[in-house]
Amino acid sequence: MNALKEGWFSELSTMWPGECFSLKVKQVLHEEKSKFQDILVFDSENYGRVLVLDGVIQQTERDECAYQEMMAHIPLAALKTDPKKVCVIGGGDGGVVREILKHPSVEEVHLCEIDEGVVNASKKFLPHMNMSFESPKLKLHIYDGAVFLKEHKNCFDVVIVDSSDPVGPASSLFGPEFYKSCKEALNENGILCTQAESMWLHLDIIAGMKDFIVDIFPNVSYSTISIPTYPSGAIGFFICSKDESNDVKVAKRTEWFESAKDTLQYYNPGLHASSFVLPLFASRRLGLKQ
């Protein structure tokens, strides 16, 4: 791959023109061209093992906790009732599933990943994710997530869309038809959490998404987190509830946290709330309540 040169990996993409993030490579462990994308796994000098799809970092051992924990625990903790059935679209590395399983009330997690190559590479080379794939609560579907949701109406307490950027195999997950399918797949008080880019790089994309999401969901908020190896060092989520009265910025369920906090590195109920406080440039552009 062109991104690997002289012992370094450089994240080159038109999604962030004029800049890139680089990591020193200790050893390349896996390179594959799947049916859908290029898959790369390598050991880095400072961030442990790294998973890369189509030249874009998806996770590193050192900082994946920020993304996986917040993406899972914000929507699950924001529910007014205990979650029982959760769907993850994308997320073939298994990290979000790992975090969901820390909620004892969850009975089923449906993981729908279109690229089996991502699942297989994660099972083999990302051992800190392997526990999630072995859980009897996990139902793995190698399938198109957009189609899967259309086939499962009123099924889930929470739907989590752990997608890559809106290019390649994830492009179908960023339009209004997909969000309508997400809403229909949720039960009457369900919550959607979806990856929604960086406010520092993609504010126009985020604002465009917000414009159609607020026509679909009665309750829409935007949360942002710090994560060093994602473009600009930040990533955001749309948190959308079918229950207009549910303040998703507040963690209502905290008993699971007391039993799981020794296994957590990033999420806590205070950070849950503060992640929705946006800088003025972003809050002005998005026009969402804070």
Side-chain angles (χ1 to χ4, degrees):
M1 295 182 180
N2 293 333
L4 288 169
K5 188 175 181 180
E6 297 179 356
W8 287 78
F9 167 82
S10 295
E11 190 179 50
L12 305 167
S13 175
T14 56
M15 288 287 292
W16 36 91
E19 61 184 271
C20 77
F21 179 77
S22 297
L23 287 173
K24 190 173 184 180
V25 178
K26 289 175 65 177
Q27 181 182 7
V28 174
L29 301 173
H30 180 70
E31 288 185 88
E32 172 189 356
K33 189 170 185 63
S34 75
K35 181 180 177 182
F36 297 96
Q37 58 204 330
D38 292 322
I39 301 171
L40 169 69
V41 184
F42 66 88
D43 273 327
S44 69
E45 189 76 22
N46 296 325
Y47 280 84
R49 289 198 174 175
V50 182
L51 172 66
V52 180
L53 301 180
D54 278 345
V56 178
I57 294 170
Q58 303 300 305
Q59 67 152 278
T60 79
E61 282 185 286
R62 180 175 173 182
D63 67 1
E64 56 89 12
C65 59
Y67 180 82
Q68 318 282 20
E69 291 181 17
M70 295 293 272
M71 174 163 261
H73 301 312
I74 287 178
L76 269 70
L79 282 172
K80 293 179 179 178
T81 58
D82 288 341
K84 296 186 183 305
K85 199 170 179 180
V86 181
C87 177
V88 181
I89 302 296
D93 56 58
V96 171
V97 173
R98 179 196 67 204
E99 296 304 316
I100 291 169
L101 292 171
K102 293 177 183 178
H103 294 253
S105 67
V106 172
E107 298 171 356
E108 290 183 14
V109 183
H110 291 258
L111 174 61
C112 188
E113 165 64 57
I114 198 170
D115 192 344
E116 189 172 18
V118 175
V119 174
N120 291 338
S122 299
K123 286 180 177 179
K124 184 173 182 179
F125 296 104
L126 303 175
H128 54 298
M129 302 301 186
N130 287 350
M131 66 189 83
S132 60
F133 290 109
E134 297 172 359
S135 171
K137 295 182 178 181
L138 176 62
K139 315 296 180 185
L140 176 61
H141 311 271
I142 305 300
Y143 202 56
D144 185 325
V147 176
F148 181 83
L149 289 178
K150 288 181 179 179
E151 296 172 350
H152 293 77
K153 296 184 186 299
N154 196 35
C155 280
F156 303 108
D157 300 295
V158 171
V159 170
I160 297 173
V161 183
D162 182 7
S163 67
S164 50
D165 296 309
V167 292
S171 58
S172 66
L173 307 184
F174 283 80
E177 291 306 313
F178 177 73
Y179 280 81
K180 290 176 184 175
S181 297
C182 290
K183 183 180 180 182
E184 292 172 354
L186 290 165
N187 65 29
E188 62 180 358
N189 297 311
I191 293 178
L192 167 69
C193 174
T194 181
Q195 188 275 111
E197 301 302 318
S198 167
M199 64 182 178
W200 292 103
L201 297 172
H202 308 123
L203 198 53
D204 287 343
I205 292 175
I206 298 165
M209 293 172 67
K210 186 271 298 187
D211 287 344
F212 66 75
I213 293 172
V214 295
D215 290 333
I216 298 168
F217 283 89
N219 183 339
V220 179
S221 296
Y222 186 81
S223 165
T224 187
I225 65 168
S226 168
I227 178 166
T229 59
Y230 279 8
S232 81
I235 196 73
F237 311 121
F238 275 114
I239 310 295
C240 313
S241 175
K242 290 177 72 171
D243 180 353
E244 188 172 8
S245 68
N246 186 0
D247 185 359
V248 298
K249 304 176 190 69
V250 177
K252 304 175 190 61
R253 303 174 51 262
T254 56
E255 66 285 346
W256 71 271
F257 175 75
E258 294 305 318
S259 62
K261 63 182 178 182
D262 288 344
T263 72
L264 300 172
Q265 299 182 68
Y266 194 94
Y267 177 91
N268 64 65
L271 196 59
H272 176 130
S274 66
S275 71
F276 291 94
V277 180
L278 302 179
L280 285 174
F281 77 88
S283 62
R284 286 171 180 151
R285 184 74 172 87
L286 296 181
L288 296 171
K289 291 181 180 180
Q290 293 197 71

